[in-house]
Amino acid sequence: MLLDLSPLRVSRDYRLLFFGQLVSFFGSMMTFIVVPWQMYQLTQSSAMVGYIYLAEFVPMVALAFVGGALADFLDKRRMLRLTEIGQTLVTAILLLNSLLAQPRIWVLFLAVALHAGLAAIQRPAFESFIQKVIPVDLMSAVMALNSIRYSVGAIVSPAVAGIIATQLSASVAYTIDLFTFIASLIAVFMLRAVPSPENAERPSWQGIKRAWKYAFGRQELVGTYFIDIAAMFFAMPQALYPALAVIYGPKYVGFFPAAIAAGALIASLTSGWTKNIHRHGLLVTVAAALWGVAIIFFGMADSIFVALLFLGAAGFFDMISGIFRGAIWNQTIPNHLRGRLASIEMMSYLTGPMLGSAKMGIVAERFGVKAALISGGILCVAAVGGAALFLPRFLSYDGREGVKHREREEAERAELLRVSQGEF
């Protein structure tokens, strides 16, 4: 029932990425908290905080296609190195801006847009690299370990960042983030070369279109995209953290994301049972609906303790959904499409939070914070249930059949390549 550590034992490169990202993410989560807080302090507007996530959404969508196509063809190590350097420079820009007597709002928007664009290029390379160095039957364990890495940073770092931002300054938090990038830079420069798939396609619009046609031709993949988008769009509360800190106290600004991460950590640490579950689509649907229920009760809470308790429950169910979505993606998608499909996956799990945060900020500005949360949770449950009704093959999806489907597709492609090259 406990956490499966096998991926860390079997792959040196995965260990490097895991521990390098673990340290770096601790600093990045500080920036994740401090940028919205800084924006709220400068503007006193939840809507402006929401627009931060809209600024991230545009370059993410624009460059996700590019990142996916490049990941299926180019040296993944080089992509990871260049994007990691770029994100380090973006943090330096935020630090310099925070040192100004009057920090510029447009610099905050520019920095988050640049960071999102670099992440859009980096993420497909990261996902396809992992698939090359970890056996397919350990992908559920990889998802759980990645969650641990995320949760450890997301529990401690936001709480520390909130104290630093409110008691010291944003500059101190950005400085810490800048120094933690050293760990991830060392890790990506120590990775071994991983060859691209045999006869990899050169980046092209035709290749991108083929990937999209493949993704939307499989209902089990469509379900992972749309159910997560529905859940996050309607019920993601992150744009309201600064406003909630005004209600409960400024010192709690970092406790809200930490509560979600704590719930996710509990889900990950007890995730051993997930390898024995094969109805992945059903579990994704149930967990996404329960995320919405937890957000409803979070919005209804009258005390900080109760609020954090239900936010932790939301994080728990979100992680259960994420583990099974990741298993569907990594166990069933052919290797030659992995990078391009990873870009679609990234768009699906970031579209909901980014657009939903903008929506939540606008609704809260007009109707109040609690009304935004409660209505968002209700709409989340309704949207997830509605999406599931239109995706019966997603609900009945069996992971064992998905693995067999991938093996057949890869064998058929290999045979076609041998025929086309005259190997009879």
Side-chain angles (χ1 to χ4, degrees):
M1 290 292 287
L2 296 179
L3 186 66
D4 185 356
L5 300 177
S6 300
L8 290 173
R9 290 195 295 268
V10 303
S11 174
R12 166 191 175 273
D13 286 333
Y14 180 72
R15 287 196 300 273
L16 282 171
L17 286 176
F18 180 86
F19 290 108
Q21 292 291 316
L22 177 67
V23 175
S24 176
F25 187 68
F26 181 88
S28 297
M29 280 304 295
M30 287 193 171
T31 295
F32 175 82
I33 294 301
V34 174
V35 169
W37 174 258
Q38 193 177 17
M39 178 66 78
Y40 193 78
Q41 294 303 300
L42 292 171
T43 65
Q44 298 299 306
S45 169
S46 290
M48 288 294 285
V49 175
Y51 295 148
I52 286 176
Y53 304 102
L54 197 59
E56 291 179 316
F57 176 73
V58 175
M60 185 272 293
V61 170
L63 292 174
F65 306 108
V66 177
L70 292 176
D72 281 334
F73 182 73
L74 297 181
D75 181 351
K76 297 170 182 57
R77 291 186 310 167
R78 180 174 296 178
M79 292 180 64
L80 291 171
R81 291 168 181 173
L82 292 176
T83 52
E84 202 70 22
I85 291 170
Q87 290 176 334
T88 305
L89 294 175
V90 169
T91 302
I93 291 172
L94 285 168
L95 172 59
L96 293 174
N97 184 58
S98 69
L99 294 173
L100 299 175
Q102 184 64 32
R104 305 293 190 264
I105 292 174
W106 67 266
V107 173
L108 295 180
F109 283 121
L110 176 64
V112 298
L114 288 172
H115 190 279
L118 289 165
I121 296 173
Q122 182 187 76
R123 190 69 189 184
F126 182 89
E127 295 289 348
S128 54
F129 187 92
I130 294 298
Q131 192 186 47
K132 295 289 288 185
V133 298
I134 296 292
V136 66
D137 60 319
L138 293 180
M139 284 304 170
S140 292
V142 166
M143 292 302 298
L145 283 168
N146 288 347
S147 166
I148 293 288
R149 187 193 70 226
Y150 168 85
S151 299
V152 169
I155 292 171
V156 179
S157 182
V160 174
I163 295 171
I164 290 174
T166 56
Q167 303 300 318
L168 298 174
S169 69
S171 303
V172 175
Y174 293 142
T175 300
I176 294 172
D177 185 15
L178 195 60
F179 277 102
T180 59
F181 267 107
I182 294 172
S184 56
L185 287 169
I186 291 173
V188 295
F189 275 90
M190 289 180 66
L191 295 175
R192 297 190 183 101
V194 171
S196 297
E198 187 179 355
N199 296 298
E201 292 185 58
R202 288 184 174 276
S204 68
W205 285 114
Q206 288 301 318
I208 293 172
K209 286 166 61 178
R210 277 193 292 275
W212 276 79
K213 183 178 180 181
Y214 178 87
F216 285 90
R218 291 182 58 184
Q219 200 173 107
E220 62 269 28
L221 296 180
V222 173
T224 65
Y225 306 147
F226 281 97
I227 285 181
D228 188 52
I229 288 173
M232 296 296 111
F233 177 77
F234 289 110
M236 173 53 74
Q238 64 186 7
L240 303 185
Y241 295 156
L244 286 164
V246 173
I247 296 173
Y248 292 111
K251 63 183 178 181
Y252 294 114
V253 68
F255 282 59
F256 302 113
I260 286 185
L265 179 61
I266 293 171
S268 299
L269 290 173
T270 58
S271 63
W273 60 274
T274 61
K275 64 184 178 183
N276 299 317
I277 302 296
H278 305 292
R279 293 289 298 279
H280 297 165
L282 177 63
L283 266 292
V284 169
T285 304
V286 171
L290 289 173
W291 150 272
V293 172
I295 294 298
I296 294 171
F297 284 102
F298 170 56
M300 296 170 62
D302 291 323
S303 72
I304 185 63
F305 174 78
V306 175
L308 293 176
L309 180 66
F310 280 112
L311 203 52
F316 179 93
F317 294 122
D318 182 43
M319 181 46 56
I320 295 300
S321 172
I323 287 172
F324 286 110
R325 281 184 286 116
I328 292 172
W329 295 335
N330 288 306
Q331 289 180 348
T332 67
I333 295 171
N335 187 52
H336 69 282
L337 289 171
R338 191 67 194 93
R340 281 165 288 175
L341 269 292
S343 68
I344 299 174
E345 293 153 18
M346 182 180 65
M347 289 179 62
S348 74
Y349 63 69
L350 291 180
T351 292
M354 289 177 178
L355 294 184
S357 293
K359 181 272 300 178
M360 193 72 84
I362 294 169
V363 173
E365 194 93 340
R366 184 165 183 178
F367 299 104
V369 173
K370 289 186 175 293
L373 290 169
I374 295 169
S375 63
I378 293 171
L379 289 170
C380 164
V381 175
V384 168
L389 288 176
F390 287 96
L391 297 167
R393 290 205 301 276
F394 175 68
L395 285 179
S396 63
Y397 170 78
D398 188 306
R400 292 166 295 189
E401 292 303 314
V403 172
K404 293 177 182 177
H405 181 85
R406 171 187 169 179
E407 291 172 349
R408 286 195 301 270
E409 287 188 328
E410 291 188 334
E412 289 170 1
R413 183 172 188 268
E415 181 63 26
L416 286 173
L417 288 172
R418 283 195 295 270
V419 171
S420 66
Q421 294 170 359
E423 297 178 9
F424 299 100

